[in-house]
Each structure stands twice: as structure tokens, then as C-alpha cells.
Amino acid sequence: MDISKAKHFLNVQDYSVSGETFELLHDSELDMLITHPQPSLEKLPSYYESADYISHTDGKKSLFEKMYQFVKGIALKNKLKLINSESEKGIILDIGAGVGDFLVTAKKDGWSIIGTEPSEKAKAIALKKGVVFVSDLAEIKDRSLDVITMWHVLEHVPDLEHQMAELKRMIKPNGTIIIAVPNFNSFDANYYGKYWAAFDVPIHLWHFSKTAIQRLFSKHDLELVKVLPMKFDSFYVSLLSEKYKTGKMSYLKAFFIGWKSNRYGSKNSEYSSHIYVIKNAKS
């Protein structure tokens, strides 16, 4: 990704691990933000070493964890409904499978499942649930997958162009790719600014808009056919953003901002996070 023409957008602090400040650069051609500087591949894992990185645990101790797991249960049913509406049952790959709950849900519904996950801690939990992993996408045959999902993963990928080329290589003709990422054009992003939790620097290397997703994937002959809201995300992100901004979990304030963000989203189609349904061109 060429950042030579990208302009300063915002300075954002890493509130989870290091306390370091990173710059967000705006690529106007794509309408995408780029975290700068990006950590080296050797140093990047150290920025994930936070007890608050909840997607890599099955924690249910705190009120926040209980709320997260409750909402996750609803989200899993919605994700299953989505993939079943977009494809006949076949082989599904979940890139960044975390603790494996989505793949377990898909397997119970008759899908053949494959996952990838860089976190050994999360992978160990998923393996106990019967999730099958590959260590490298190169192990997957060309045009062999019916569905590929990346639930809040694309923003973490160091080599974006290579990742999209691999998606194109692995997906069957007319197969479906489902991408979920935060949206920096949402109301809650604008409201919280440098405190917006979904910036999550530096582990979020890229920050997408609808324009960015459409243009990036079209370069690989992959067509964006549908954009769906992730309405729960506005509440979760607002709660963390309140913590970063004020030092405490302000549940009522976060709920109000999350509700307001969804209200604005219903008018301008800019929600806190979006799900993008992308189809491979028939061939």
C-alpha cells in the first residue's frame, strides 16, 4: 500500500497495551485510513498481549464478559443465517477463527469447516471444540471453498494485497466471501474521535469505508453485492470508547451513543461496523 500521497488524519493512542501514539493517514482515492508506522512482523504480536482482547477467550466472569458472550450467541445465529442465505452448504474457511465458536456453529448445521488462527491461546481452545485448522493458506487448493469469512480480521492483515489475492485463489467460481470490519465514517467514530475503540492501533493496520472495500476487491475481480449493518457493534465499541475517554465503563452513556449511531446509520447507511458480501465472478 502506497502511503506517499496519504495525508494526516488523526493521532491515536494504543490504550490496550503500550500507550504509544500512532498516526492515521487518509488515502483519499480509497477513502481508507492507514496506521503509521506499522509495527514489524516480529513486534506486532506483542501488541496483542492484553487481557482485554476478549475474542481470544471464553471469559464469563465480569459483567462486560457476560454481556459480550450473550451478544455473541445472538451474532452466531445471525452469521449462520447469512451464510446459509448466500450459499449451498459446502466447505467454509474462517480466517482468524478465534476460539472457534462460529465454525462449531456452522459444523453443527452441516458445513465442512476449516480455520486459521495465529493466536496459540485461542487455537488451543478451538481445538478442544473440534475445529480443524490449517497452518498456512497455501495448504488450501485453488477454487476449493464455497464460503470464506473474515469476522473483524481484514483490518489486522499486514499484507492486504496478498490476502485478497489468496481469497480470489481459494474461492470457487461464484463463491462467497464475507468480510466484517469497523467503519470510520460512522457516527460513533466521529463522536469519539481519537478515543474511538475500533481504531485499536496498532493491531488495526487498516481502517475501511464502503468505498475502500468496493475498490480494493474490484481490483481482484471480486464484486461487492451487499452491505449489512452490525448494530450490536456500536454499543460494544461505545462502551470501550467511554472507558478510554473517561477511565470508566459508562454503560448508560455508551448505550445512548450506540443507539444514536444506529439511528444515524439507518438514515445514512454508515453503521459502526459493516458486513460486506462479496461474490467471485463466474468463470
Side-chain angles (χ1 to χ4, degrees):
M1 189 68 61
D2 182 15
I3 66 170
S4 61
K5 296 181 180 179
K7 297 182 179 180
H8 174 80
F9 182 82
L10 191 66
N11 289 330
V12 181
Q13 186 177 342
D14 172 14
Y15 294 97
S16 299
V17 177
S18 69
E20 298 170 16
T21 297
F22 295 83
E23 183 182 17
L24 299 181
L25 301 174
H26 184 242
D27 182 325
S28 59
E29 181 182 349
L30 293 172
D31 190 23
M32 186 173 85
L33 301 179
I34 304 164
T35 298
H36 180 75
Q38 295 190 350
S40 67
L41 293 179
E42 292 74 25
K43 190 175 180 182
L44 188 58
S46 67
Y47 290 101
Y48 285 86
E49 294 173 2
S50 168
D52 294 332
Y53 203 62
I54 197 168
S55 66
H56 285 176
T57 74
D58 272 344
K60 297 179 182 178
K61 294 180 181 179
S62 68
L63 175 60
F64 180 64
E65 287 176 336
K66 289 177 182 177
M67 289 173 59
Y68 178 86
Q69 298 298 342
F70 172 75
V71 171
K72 185 169 77 170
I74 299 172
L76 287 171
K77 293 178 183 177
N78 292 337
K79 289 174 180 178
L80 180 64
K81 184 178 179 181
L82 175 60
I83 62 170
N84 284 336
S85 70
E86 295 294 337
S87 174
E88 296 293 328
K89 288 186 178 68
I91 304 174
I92 184 169
L93 166 68
D94 189 24
I95 298 175
V99 295
D101 290 329
F102 169 64
L103 285 180
V104 170
T105 301
K107 183 179 180 180
K108 289 178 180 177
D109 195 56
W111 286 84
S112 297
I113 62 168
I114 308 170
T116 68
E117 174 53 52
S119 167
E120 293 301 325
K121 178 181 177 182
K123 187 187 290 187
I125 296 172
L127 285 169
K128 292 178 181 178
K129 300 175 183 178
V131 175
V132 177
F133 286 98
V134 293
S135 57
D136 194 312
L137 293 180
E139 299 175 35
I140 297 176
K141 295 179 180 179
D142 296 358
R143 298 184 170 196
S144 62
L145 303 174
D146 297 281
V147 176
I148 302 173
T149 56
M150 298 181 75
W151 305 107
H152 286 293
V153 170
L154 191 65
E155 61 269 40
H156 296 262
V157 173
D159 192 335
L160 206 52
E161 288 295 329
H162 176 72
Q163 181 68 70
M164 288 185 289
E166 280 291 87
L167 295 176
K168 176 69 176 181
R169 178 186 67 79
M170 296 183 294
I171 198 70
K172 288 180 178 179
N174 208 31
T176 304
I177 299 168
I178 297 175
I179 305 290
V181 288
N183 172 33
F184 74 89
N185 286 325
S186 65
F187 173 84
D188 51 299
N190 291 324
Y191 177 83
Y192 286 109
K194 65 181 181 179
Y195 299 108
W196 191 50
F199 282 134
D200 206 6
V201 293
I203 61 173
H204 285 191
L205 304 169
W206 322 99
H207 313 268
F208 301 99
S209 66
K210 289 184 287 187
T211 299
I213 293 294
Q214 188 276 323
R215 291 182 178 175
L216 286 167
F217 280 90
S218 67
K219 293 179 182 178
H220 296 269
D221 294 321
L222 295 165
E223 181 185 2
L224 175 62
V225 297
K226 194 178 297 182
V227 182
L228 303 169
M230 299 188 80
K231 295 183 179 180
F232 282 126
D233 277 31
S234 63
F235 301 106
Y236 170 72
V237 170
S238 293
L239 190 58
L240 282 179
S241 301
E242 283 293 323
K243 179 182 177 182
Y244 296 161
K245 186 176 182 179
T246 67
K248 58 183 179 180
M249 293 281 199
S250 302
Y251 287 91
L252 289 177
K253 180 67 177 294
F255 180 84
F256 175 71
I257 298 301
W259 170 82
K260 197 170 183 179
S261 184
N262 285 335
R263 185 167 173 267
Y264 273 80
S266 68
K267 296 177 180 179
N268 63 10
S269 299
E270 298 285 1
Y271 288 87
S272 184
S273 291
H274 292 139
I275 296 172
Y276 297 94
V277 180
I278 297 160
K279 293 286 186 178
N280 194 10
K282 291 183 180 180
S283 58

